[in-house]
Amino acid sequence: DSRMQELAYQVLGDRIGALVVLDAETGAILTLASTPSYDPNEFIGGISTARWQELSRDLRRPMFNRALQGLYPPGSVFKVVTVASALDQGLYEPNSIFVDSGEFVVQGNIVRNFQRQVFGEHNLHSALVDSINTTVAQVGLSLGASNLEAYFKSLGLHESHRLGLPMSSGQVGTPGRSKVALAWSSIGQDQVLLTPLHIAQIFSVFANNGYVPPIHLVQSNEEASSKHPAFKPETVAQVNAMLQDVVVQGTGTEAQGVGVTIYGKTGTAEVVGGDMHAWFAGHTELPTGQKLAFALLVEEGGIGGQVAAPL
């Protein structure tokens, strides 16, 4: 829909980032915006050398499609994968109790919460709602690297889709090389890298009763049947209760008041030598019954709940 695409560019404005919206059930890409951008019509009649050099030398990389090619640390938006996988394996319940002292020490390496918050006693539901690093890192260690990798694959995050456009494959890295690597991977850091399209894909599964839809730009008949389940329906229900609370009372309250129920997760991903990437991703159902999944990234934008969620 060209109106959605135009609106996406308006929403992103002069920020550097991306916004992807999917039809969560069919896997159709409805919006794929990357900023800064350029007008592809410039290329039709032949582009001047000066203009080509201007575009290709621009440090903001307007010709780089961040939505499909940009590989970013997902940070806390990835916690939904870790928590869902552990629930799906029957390792925990949403009311499983944890105690957070503000630090979780793994082989001498310290995982801390954002802004050094201390949460004390809480359950797994709250750990995702309040985005508690220490607890989700522990959950990841219980889950194990091979399970994390298996769910990553089951969600199709290692794939680049045949869209007729250049797209990067997601990377889980090698979380099994150490407990430290697994702990950081579980909270979307270490070597975990995903495109904004992959992030939207994760949340489409929670809109779609656990099924991974076939991501596509143009529908072909064979693709319609290729859905497969990544999570059990009860896992999806448990995680959706958490994602709803993220927006009602957790880190994503800035996304309230839009007239539809938003199930979301914020992310603030650390970048070596740069500012943090701000993420907000999730899913919703329109009054028409259409289910949408989305991912919004502001590159080096800061805190996800403060920067990306309001957008």
Side-chain angles (χ1 to χ4, degrees):
D1 186 317
S2 61
R3 287 169 308 169
M4 274 176 74
Q5 186 77 2
E6 283 168 29
L7 182 59
Y9 280 114
Q10 286 173 26
V11 165
L12 287 165
D14 58 6
R15 300 169 185 86
I16 298 178
L19 176 54
V20 180
V21 183
L22 303 175
D23 182 307
E25 291 178 293
T26 67
I29 297 172
L30 304 177
T31 300
L32 197 65
S34 171
T35 52
S37 192
Y38 64 96
D39 183 356
N41 291 325
E42 288 186 63
F43 286 84
I44 292 171
I47 191 165
S48 72
T49 310
R51 178 63 178 141
W52 168 252
Q53 287 181 339
E54 185 187 355
L55 281 172
S56 50
R57 287 178 184 166
D58 187 333
L59 293 177
R60 286 160 51 101
R61 296 174 77 190
M63 290 191 291
F64 179 62
N65 188 333
R66 289 168 164 83
L68 291 179
Q69 292 170 281
L71 282 169
Y72 300 94
S76 295
V77 286
F78 191 72
K79 288 175 184 166
V80 67
V81 174
T82 304
V83 170
S85 302
L87 288 166
D88 206 60
Q89 285 289 306
L91 297 170
Y92 299 100
E93 295 289 322
N95 56 8
S96 298
I97 295 294
F98 296 84
V99 179
D100 165 53
S101 66
E103 293 189 351
F104 176 54
V105 183
V106 192
Q107 295 179 326
N109 187 283
I110 302 175
V111 177
R112 291 187 178 88
N113 293 317
F114 184 62
Q115 293 175 333
R116 299 199 171 217
Q117 290 169 287
V118 180
F119 291 92
E121 189 175 299
H122 61 278
N123 62 18
L124 186 58
H125 179 98
S126 301
L128 193 67
V129 171
D130 294 323
S131 208
I132 302 175
N133 289 343
T134 55
T135 295
V136 181
Q138 263 175 275
V139 169
L141 290 188
S142 304
L143 178 66
S146 57
N147 272 329
L148 185 66
E149 288 173 27
Y151 279 99
F152 191 92
K153 221 168 179 170
S154 176
L155 287 162
L157 303 180
H158 63 305
E159 293 173 27
S160 71
H161 304 291
R162 294 190 199 92
L163 302 173
L165 296 167
M167 180 180 172
S168 303
S169 307
Q171 298 169 17
V172 71
T174 50
R177 69 186 193 280
S178 70
K179 283 186 173 181
V180 175
L182 179 55
W184 286 105
S185 300
S186 303
I187 57 175
Q189 298 281 166
D190 192 45
Q191 299 170 342
V192 180
L193 294 171
L194 293 167
T195 70
L197 177 59
H198 284 116
I199 299 284
Q201 191 178 318
I202 292 170
F203 288 90
S204 71
V205 173
F206 294 99
N208 203 16
N209 212 26
Y211 282 89
V212 183
I215 305 296
H216 63 277
L217 279 167
V218 182
Q219 180 68 46
S220 68
N221 295 332
E222 53 174 342
E223 284 181 303
S225 61
S226 66
K227 288 200 311 189
H228 69 273
F231 296 117
K232 299 170 189 150
E234 53 267 36
T235 302
V236 173
Q238 291 170 334
V239 171
N240 278 332
M242 299 174 186
L243 297 178
Q244 192 172 353
D245 270 354
V246 165
V247 178
V248 172
Q249 64 189 44
T251 56
T253 53
E254 289 287 341
Q256 283 177 12
V258 288
V260 288
T261 302
I262 302 272
Y263 299 81
K265 182 73 194 80
T266 56
T268 306
E270 295 186 24
V271 190
V272 178
D275 283 327
M276 298 175 288
H277 294 324
W279 287 102
F280 185 62
H283 67 89
T284 188
E285 186 173 340
L286 300 182
T288 58
Q290 187 182 22
K291 293 175 178 176
L292 303 179
F294 63 89
L296 192 150
L297 162 77
V298 181
E299 210 174 285
E300 299 199 11
I303 300 170
Q306 293 174 15
V307 175
L311 297 180

